[in-house]
Amino acid sequence: MERSVIRLSHCQKEIFCFSVPEDCPSCGEELRGNRLQEAPVSLPSPFTNGHKSSCCLLVAPAHDNQAREFDGTSDLHTGISNTKGVVYNYTRGGVHRDQTGWERCVSVPLVRPDTFHLLAQWDQYLDHFSEGPMWDPAWHRFDDEHQNCFTYCLRFINSVLAVEGRSSLSREAFTHSFILPRMRRVSKYTTLYEHIQRHQYYMVDRQEEKQEDRAL
Protein backbone atom coordinates (compact mmCIF):
# COMPACT_ATOMS: atom_id res chain seq x y z
CA MET A 1 0.00 0.00 0.00
CA GLU A 2 2.59 2.49 -1.12
CA ARG A 3 0.08 4.87 -2.74
CA SER A 4 -2.15 7.38 -0.97
CA VAL A 5 -5.92 7.22 -1.31
CA ILE A 6 -7.41 10.52 -2.48
CA ARG A 7 -11.00 11.60 -1.89
CA LEU A 8 -12.71 14.22 -4.03
CA SER A 9 -16.30 15.41 -4.43
CA HIS A 10 -18.18 15.95 -7.67
CA CYS A 11 -21.78 15.69 -8.91
CA GLN A 12 -22.99 14.64 -5.45
CA LYS A 13 -20.54 11.76 -5.39
CA GLU A 14 -17.56 11.02 -3.18
CA ILE A 15 -14.87 9.61 -5.44
CA PHE A 16 -11.87 7.69 -4.09
CA CYS A 17 -8.83 7.14 -6.28
CA PHE A 18 -5.04 7.25 -6.32
CA SER A 19 -4.79 10.38 -8.50
CA VAL A 20 -7.26 13.04 -9.64
CA PRO A 21 -8.70 11.96 -13.02
CA GLU A 22 -9.09 14.29 -16.00
CA ASP A 23 -12.81 13.52 -16.25
CA CYS A 24 -15.35 12.68 -13.56
CA PRO A 25 -15.87 8.88 -13.63
CA SER A 26 -19.52 9.43 -12.65
CA CYS A 27 -20.81 12.13 -15.04
CA GLY A 28 -17.94 12.42 -17.52
CA GLU A 29 -17.51 16.17 -17.00
CA GLU A 30 -14.00 17.52 -17.27
CA LEU A 31 -12.54 18.09 -13.82
CA ARG A 32 -10.86 21.38 -13.18
CA GLY A 33 -10.10 23.12 -9.91
CA ASN A 34 -13.27 25.19 -10.05
CA ARG A 35 -15.43 22.19 -10.97
CA LEU A 36 -14.67 20.27 -7.78
CA GLN A 37 -16.98 20.87 -4.83
CA GLU A 38 -14.09 20.39 -2.43
CA ALA A 39 -10.33 20.26 -2.76
CA PRO A 40 -9.06 16.68 -3.01
CA VAL A 41 -7.76 15.34 0.29
CA SER A 42 -5.52 12.40 1.10
CA LEU A 43 -6.96 9.88 3.52
CA PRO A 44 -4.68 9.02 6.44
CA SER A 45 -3.40 5.47 6.39
CA PRO A 46 -4.26 3.30 9.40
CA PHE A 47 -0.73 1.90 9.35
CA THR A 48 2.32 3.31 11.06
CA ASN A 49 6.01 2.56 11.50
CA GLY A 50 6.19 0.94 14.93
CA HIS A 51 9.85 1.91 15.32
CA LYS A 52 8.82 5.55 15.13
CA SER A 53 5.88 5.10 17.54
CA SER A 54 7.13 5.24 21.10
CA CYS A 55 5.23 3.82 24.08
CA CYS A 56 2.59 2.08 22.00
CA LEU A 57 0.95 -1.29 21.75
CA LEU A 58 1.67 -2.51 18.21
CA VAL A 59 -0.28 -5.02 16.15
CA ALA A 60 1.30 -6.59 13.07
CA PRO A 61 0.82 -9.71 10.94
CA ALA A 62 2.50 -12.74 12.49
CA HIS A 63 5.90 -13.68 11.13
CA ASP A 64 4.52 -16.84 9.51
CA ASN A 65 2.26 -14.67 7.33
CA GLN A 66 4.55 -14.56 4.32
CA ALA A 67 2.72 -11.65 2.68
CA ARG A 68 2.75 -9.71 5.97
CA GLU A 69 -0.80 -8.54 5.28
CA PHE A 70 -3.79 -7.76 7.47
CA ASP A 71 -6.16 -9.99 5.51
CA GLY A 72 -8.58 -10.80 8.31
CA THR A 73 -7.66 -14.49 8.40
CA SER A 74 -3.97 -14.64 9.30
CA ASP A 75 -2.66 -14.58 12.85
CA LEU A 76 -1.54 -11.29 14.33
CA HIS A 77 1.40 -10.51 16.59
CA THR A 78 1.58 -7.82 19.27
CA GLY A 79 4.40 -5.92 20.95
CA ILE A 80 5.19 -2.89 23.08
CA SER A 81 7.53 -0.12 21.91
CA ASN A 82 9.88 1.71 24.22
CA THR A 83 10.73 5.40 23.99
CA LYS A 84 13.37 4.69 21.32
CA GLY A 85 11.15 2.59 19.05
CA VAL A 86 12.54 -0.80 20.07
CA VAL A 87 9.67 -3.28 20.01
CA TYR A 88 9.48 -5.77 22.88
CA ASN A 89 7.49 -8.86 21.91
CA TYR A 90 6.99 -12.28 23.42
CA THR A 91 7.47 -15.46 21.37
CA ARG A 92 8.23 -19.11 22.01
CA GLY A 93 11.85 -18.11 22.49
CA GLY A 94 11.08 -15.52 25.13
CA VAL A 95 11.03 -11.74 24.84
CA HIS A 96 12.59 -10.25 21.72
CA ARG A 97 13.72 -6.66 21.37
CA ASP A 98 13.26 -5.85 17.70
CA GLN A 99 14.82 -2.82 16.04
CA THR A 100 13.40 -3.76 12.62
CA GLY A 101 10.41 -5.69 11.33
CA TRP A 102 7.58 -3.50 12.65
CA GLU A 103 7.61 -0.88 9.92
CA ARG A 104 3.97 -1.50 8.96
CA CYS A 105 1.63 -2.06 11.83
CA VAL A 106 -1.30 -0.67 13.79
CA SER A 107 -0.41 1.34 16.87
CA VAL A 108 -2.34 2.04 20.07
CA PRO A 109 -0.76 4.90 22.07
CA LEU A 110 -0.43 3.99 25.74
CA VAL A 111 1.04 7.14 27.27
CA ARG A 112 -0.14 10.73 26.93
CA PRO A 113 2.62 13.09 25.74
CA ASP A 114 2.23 15.22 28.86
CA THR A 115 2.75 12.31 31.27
CA PHE A 116 6.41 13.12 31.77
CA HIS A 117 7.02 10.99 34.87
CA LEU A 118 5.74 7.88 33.10
CA LEU A 119 7.67 8.57 29.93
CA ALA A 120 10.85 8.94 32.00
CA GLN A 121 10.37 5.50 33.57
CA TRP A 122 8.76 3.62 30.67
CA ASP A 123 11.92 1.93 29.41
CA GLN A 124 12.90 0.87 32.92
CA TYR A 125 9.44 -0.60 33.54
CA LEU A 126 9.53 -2.46 30.24
CA ASP A 127 13.00 -3.90 30.80
CA HIS A 128 12.24 -4.99 34.36
CA PHE A 129 8.94 -6.58 33.38
CA SER A 130 10.45 -8.42 30.39
CA GLU A 131 13.20 -9.96 32.53
CA GLY A 132 10.66 -11.66 34.82
CA PRO A 133 10.54 -15.47 35.01
CA MET A 134 7.02 -15.46 33.55
CA TRP A 135 8.53 -14.79 30.11
CA ASP A 136 11.59 -17.05 30.44
CA PRO A 137 11.12 -20.24 28.37
CA ALA A 138 13.03 -22.14 31.05
CA TRP A 139 10.25 -21.39 33.54
CA HIS A 140 7.09 -21.02 31.46
CA ARG A 141 6.19 -22.36 28.07
CA PHE A 142 4.55 -20.26 25.38
CA ASP A 143 0.91 -21.23 24.92
CA ASP A 144 -1.30 -20.06 22.05
CA GLU A 145 -4.31 -19.62 24.33
CA HIS A 146 -3.10 -18.51 27.75
CA GLN A 147 0.58 -17.52 27.52
CA ASN A 148 1.09 -15.61 24.30
CA CYS A 149 2.18 -12.27 22.88
CA PHE A 150 -1.05 -10.53 23.83
CA THR A 151 -0.88 -11.93 27.36
CA TYR A 152 2.56 -10.36 27.68
CA CYS A 153 1.38 -6.96 26.40
CA LEU A 154 -1.76 -6.79 28.52
CA ARG A 155 0.04 -7.86 31.69
CA PHE A 156 2.64 -5.18 31.11
CA ILE A 157 -0.05 -2.56 30.58
CA ASN A 158 -1.82 -3.65 33.77
CA SER A 159 1.45 -3.59 35.71
CA VAL A 160 1.92 0.06 34.69
CA LEU A 161 -1.69 0.84 35.59
CA ALA A 162 -1.11 -0.70 39.03
CA VAL A 163 1.96 1.49 39.61
CA GLU A 164 -0.14 4.49 38.60
CA GLY A 165 -2.85 3.49 41.07
CA ARG A 166 -5.37 2.75 38.33
CA SER A 167 -7.67 -0.22 37.77
CA SER A 168 -6.52 -3.07 35.56
CA LEU A 169 -8.12 -3.88 32.21
CA SER A 170 -9.58 -7.22 31.24
CA ARG A 171 -8.62 -8.78 27.95
CA GLU A 172 -12.15 -8.26 26.66
CA ALA A 173 -12.37 -4.61 27.73
CA PHE A 174 -8.99 -3.69 26.24
CA THR A 175 -9.71 -5.49 22.98
CA HIS A 176 -13.16 -3.95 22.62
CA SER A 177 -12.10 -0.39 23.45
CA PHE A 178 -8.66 -0.12 21.85
CA ILE A 179 -7.99 -2.94 19.37
CA LEU A 180 -11.25 -3.59 17.52
CA PRO A 181 -11.95 0.04 16.47
CA ARG A 182 -8.53 0.25 14.84
CA MET A 183 -8.83 -3.15 13.19
CA ARG A 184 -12.23 -2.23 11.74
CA ARG A 185 -10.61 0.87 10.24
CA VAL A 186 -7.84 -1.29 8.78
CA SER A 187 -10.43 -3.60 7.23
CA LYS A 188 -12.34 -0.69 5.64
CA TYR A 189 -9.19 0.99 4.36
CA THR A 190 -7.79 -2.27 2.93
CA THR A 191 -11.07 -3.10 1.18
CA LEU A 192 -11.21 0.41 -0.30
CA TYR A 193 -7.58 0.26 -1.43
CA GLU A 194 -8.01 -3.10 -3.13
CA HIS A 195 -11.17 -1.93 -4.90
CA ILE A 196 -9.33 1.08 -6.32
CA GLN A 197 -6.48 -1.16 -7.45
CA ARG A 198 -8.93 -3.29 -9.42
CA HIS A 199 -11.33 -0.63 -10.72
CA GLN A 200 -9.41 2.70 -10.54
CA TYR A 201 -12.22 4.36 -8.58
CA TYR A 202 -14.66 3.82 -5.76
CA MET A 203 -17.77 6.01 -5.73
CA VAL A 204 -20.65 6.48 -3.30
CA ASP A 205 -23.39 9.05 -2.87
CA ARG A 206 -21.98 11.98 -0.98
CA GLN A 207 -24.37 11.87 1.98
CA GLU A 208 -23.81 8.14 2.48
CA GLU A 209 -20.04 8.50 2.36
CA LYS A 210 -20.01 11.22 4.99
CA GLN A 211 -21.45 8.66 7.38
CA GLU A 212 -18.91 6.03 6.33
CA ASP A 213 -16.02 8.48 6.57
CA ARG A 214 -16.73 9.21 10.23
CA ALA A 215 -16.18 5.53 10.93
CA LEU A 216 -12.82 5.39 9.16
Side-chain angles (χ1 to χ4, degrees):
M1 294 190 180
E2 297 86 3
R3 307 177 72 179
S4 296
V5 176
I6 297 172
R7 181 185 66 197
L8 57 95
S9 299
H10 192 262
C11 63
Q12 299 305 309
K13 296 286 187 181
E14 295 284 353
I15 304 165
F16 296 83
C17 48
F18 293 138
S19 59
V20 178
E22 293 184 3
D23 302 319
C24 174
S26 176
C27 68
E29 183 179 0
E30 182 180 3
L31 294 181
R32 298 181 184 274
N34 59 353
R35 299 293 181 90
L36 292 176
Q37 294 156 345
E38 296 176 358
V41 296
S42 178
L43 295 185
S45 170
F47 304 109
T48 187
N49 184 339
H51 300 292
K52 296 181 180 180
S53 306
S54 61
C55 306
C56 290
L57 171 79
L58 304 172
V59 183
H63 295 300
D64 57 2
N65 178 354
Q66 297 298 319
R68 300 290 285 165
E69 292 293 339
F70 291 85
D71 58 11
T73 59
S74 301
D75 290 337
L76 298 174
H77 190 43
T78 58
I80 301 284
S81 59
N82 70 4
T83 60
K84 300 176 180 64
V86 177
V87 182
Y88 289 57
N89 59 104
Y90 177 62
T91 70
R92 295 182 185 278
V95 177
H96 289 254
R97 295 162 172 81
D98 295 339
Q99 299 188 45
T100 60
W102 296 76
E103 288 78 14
R104 183 172 176 271
C105 58
V106 176
S107 67
V108 181
L110 299 174
V111 182
R112 296 196 314 270
D114 61 346
T115 315
F116 302 111
H117 72 283
L118 185 53
L119 288 170
Q121 301 179 78
W122 186 263
D123 292 356
Q124 180 181 344
Y125 286 157
L126 191 51
D127 272 321
H128 180 74
F129 178 81
S130 301
E131 291 168 358
M134 178 64 70
W135 318 113
D136 187 339
W139 292 87
H140 293 274
R141 295 182 61 182
F142 184 98
D143 179 84
D144 289 332
E145 295 295 327
H146 306 292
Q147 179 80 359
N148 53 39
C149 60
F150 191 71
T151 307
Y152 164 82
C153 292
L154 185 57
R155 289 191 180 181
F156 171 71
I157 292 168
N158 280 331
S159 72
V160 174
L161 289 173
V163 171
E164 294 288 296
R166 299 166 60 186
S167 301
S168 62
L169 292 166
S170 68
R171 184 187 187 97
E172 293 74 19
F174 186 81
T175 301
H176 179 77
S177 298
F178 298 98
I179 303 296
L180 290 183
R182 287 168 171 81
M183 298 312 297
R184 282 194 289 266
R185 184 168 178 264
V186 166
S187 177
K188 289 182 179 182
Y189 187 90
T190 301
T191 300
L192 175 63
Y193 195 98
E194 292 174 349
H195 182 96
I196 298 172
Q197 279 186 315
R198 293 192 300 268
H199 305 289
Q200 286 191 288
Y201 312 105
Y202 175 71
M203 293 183 292
V204 292
D205 292 337
R206 192 174 185 196
Q207 183 176 3
E208 174 187 343
E209 177 50 37
K210 281 188 176 180
Q211 295 175 353
E212 290 186 7
D213 185 54
R214 282 197 293 269
L216 281 177

Coordinates of all heavy atoms in Angstrom, one line a residue, residues 6 20 39 43 48 52 54 59-60 65 85-86 91-93 97 137-138 157 163 178-179 198 208:
I6 N -6.9 9.2 -2.4 CA -7.4 10.5 -2.5 C -8.9 10.5 -2.5 O -9.5 9.7 -3.2 CB -6.9 11.2 -3.7 CG1 -5.3 11.3 -3.7 CG2 -7.5 12.6 -3.9 CD1 -4.7 11.8 -4.9
V20 N -6.1 12.3 -9.1 CA -7.3 13.0 -9.6 C -7.4 12.8 -11.1 O -6.5 13.1 -11.9 CB -7.2 14.6 -9.4 CG1 -8.4 15.3 -9.9 CG2 -7.0 14.8 -7.9
A39 N -11.7 20.6 -2.4 CA -10.3 20.3 -2.8 C -10.1 18.8 -2.4 O -10.5 18.3 -1.4 CB -9.3 21.2 -2.0
L43 N -6.5 10.6 2.3 CA -7.0 9.9 3.5 C -5.8 9.4 4.3 O -4.8 8.8 3.8 CB -7.9 8.7 3.2 CG -9.2 9.0 2.5 CD1 -10.0 7.7 2.3 CD2 -10.0 10.0 3.3
T48 N 1.2 2.4 10.6 CA 2.3 3.3 11.1 C 3.6 2.5 11.2 O 3.6 1.3 11.2 CB 2.0 3.9 12.4 OG1 2.9 4.9 12.8 CG2 1.9 2.8 13.5
K52 N 8.9 4.1 15.0 CA 8.8 5.6 15.1 C 7.6 5.9 16.0 O 7.2 7.1 16.1 CB 8.7 6.2 13.8 CG 9.9 6.1 12.9 CD 9.8 6.8 11.6 CE 11.1 6.6 10.7 NZ 10.9 7.3 9.4
S54 N 6.7 5.6 19.8 CA 7.1 5.2 21.1 C 6.0 5.0 22.1 O 4.9 5.6 21.9 CB 8.1 6.3 21.6 OG 7.4 7.6 21.7
V59 N 0.3 -3.8 16.7 CA -0.3 -5.0 16.1 C 0.2 -5.2 14.7 O 0.1 -4.2 13.9 CB -1.8 -4.9 16.2 CG1 -2.4 -6.2 15.7 CG2 -2.3 -4.6 17.6
A60 N 0.8 -6.3 14.4 CA 1.3 -6.6 13.1 C 1.0 -8.0 12.7 O 0.7 -8.9 13.5 CB 2.8 -6.4 13.0
N65 N 3.1 -15.2 8.4 CA 2.3 -14.7 7.3 C 3.2 -14.1 6.3 O 3.7 -13.0 6.4 CB 1.3 -13.6 7.9 CG 0.5 -12.9 6.8 OD1 0.6 -13.2 5.6 ND2 -0.4 -12.1 7.2
G85 N 11.7 3.3 20.2 CA 11.2 2.6 19.0 C 11.6 1.1 19.0 O 11.4 0.5 17.9
V86 N 12.2 0.6 20.0 CA 12.5 -0.8 20.1 C 11.3 -1.5 20.5 O 10.6 -1.1 21.5 CB 13.7 -1.1 21.1 CG1 14.0 -2.6 21.2 CG2 14.9 -0.3 20.7
T91 N 7.6 -14.3 22.3 CA 7.5 -15.5 21.4 C 7.9 -16.7 22.1 O 8.1 -16.7 23.3 CB 8.4 -15.3 20.1 OG1 9.8 -15.5 20.6 CG2 8.2 -13.9 19.5
R92 N 7.9 -17.8 21.4 CA 8.2 -19.1 22.0 C 9.7 -19.1 22.6 O 10.0 -19.9 23.4 CB 8.1 -20.3 21.0 CG 6.6 -20.5 20.6 CD 6.5 -21.6 19.6 NE 5.1 -21.7 19.1 CZ 4.1 -22.3 19.8 NH1 4.4 -22.9 21.0 NH2 2.9 -22.4 19.3
G93 N 10.5 -18.2 22.0 CA 11.9 -18.1 22.5 C 12.1 -17.1 23.6 O 13.2 -16.8 24.0
R97 N 13.6 -8.1 21.4 CA 13.7 -6.7 21.4 C 14.1 -6.3 19.9 O 15.3 -6.3 19.6 CB 14.8 -6.1 22.4 CG 14.4 -6.4 23.8 CD 15.6 -6.3 24.8 NE 15.2 -6.3 26.2 CZ 15.0 -7.5 26.9 NH1 15.1 -8.6 26.2 NH2 14.7 -7.4 28.1
P137 N 11.5 -18.9 28.8 CA 11.1 -20.2 28.4 C 11.5 -21.4 29.3 O 10.9 -22.4 29.3 CB 11.8 -20.4 27.0 CG 12.1 -19.0 26.6 CD 12.3 -18.2 27.8
A138 N 12.6 -21.1 30.1 CA 13.0 -22.1 31.1 C 12.0 -22.3 32.2 O 12.0 -23.4 32.9 CB 14.4 -21.8 31.6
I157 N 0.8 -3.7 30.5 CA -0.1 -2.6 30.6 C -0.7 -2.5 32.0 O -0.7 -1.4 32.6 CB -1.1 -2.6 29.5 CG1 -0.5 -2.4 28.1 CG2 -2.2 -1.5 29.7 CD1 -1.4 -2.6 26.9
V163 N 1.0 0.5 39.1 CA 2.0 1.5 39.6 C 1.3 2.9 39.7 O 1.6 3.7 40.6 CB 3.3 1.5 38.8 CG1 4.2 2.6 39.2 CG2 4.0 0.2 38.9
F178 N -9.9 -0.6 22.5 CA -8.7 -0.1 21.9 C -8.2 -0.9 20.6 O -7.7 -0.2 19.7 CB -7.5 -0.2 22.8 CG -7.7 0.7 24.0 CD1 -8.2 0.2 25.2 CD2 -7.5 2.1 24.0 CE1 -8.4 1.0 26.3 CE2 -7.7 2.9 25.1 CZ -8.2 2.3 26.3
I179 N -8.5 -2.2 20.5 CA -8.0 -2.9 19.4 C -9.0 -3.0 18.2 O -8.7 -2.7 17.1 CB -7.6 -4.4 19.8 CG1 -6.6 -4.4 20.9 CG2 -7.1 -5.2 18.6 CD1 -5.3 -3.8 20.5
R198 N -8.3 -2.5 -8.4 CA -8.9 -3.3 -9.4 C -9.7 -2.4 -10.4 O -9.8 -2.7 -11.6 CB -9.9 -4.3 -8.8 CG -9.2 -5.4 -8.0 CD -10.1 -6.6 -7.7 NE -11.2 -6.1 -6.9 CZ -11.3 -6.1 -5.6 NH1 -10.2 -6.6 -4.9 NH2 -12.3 -5.7 -4.9
E208 N -24.1 9.5 1.9 CA -23.8 8.1 2.5 C -22.4 8.1 2.9 O -22.0 7.6 4.0 CB -24.1 7.1 1.4 CG -23.7 5.7 1.8 CD -23.9 4.7 0.7 OE1 -24.6 5.0 -0.3 OE2 -23.3 3.6 0.8

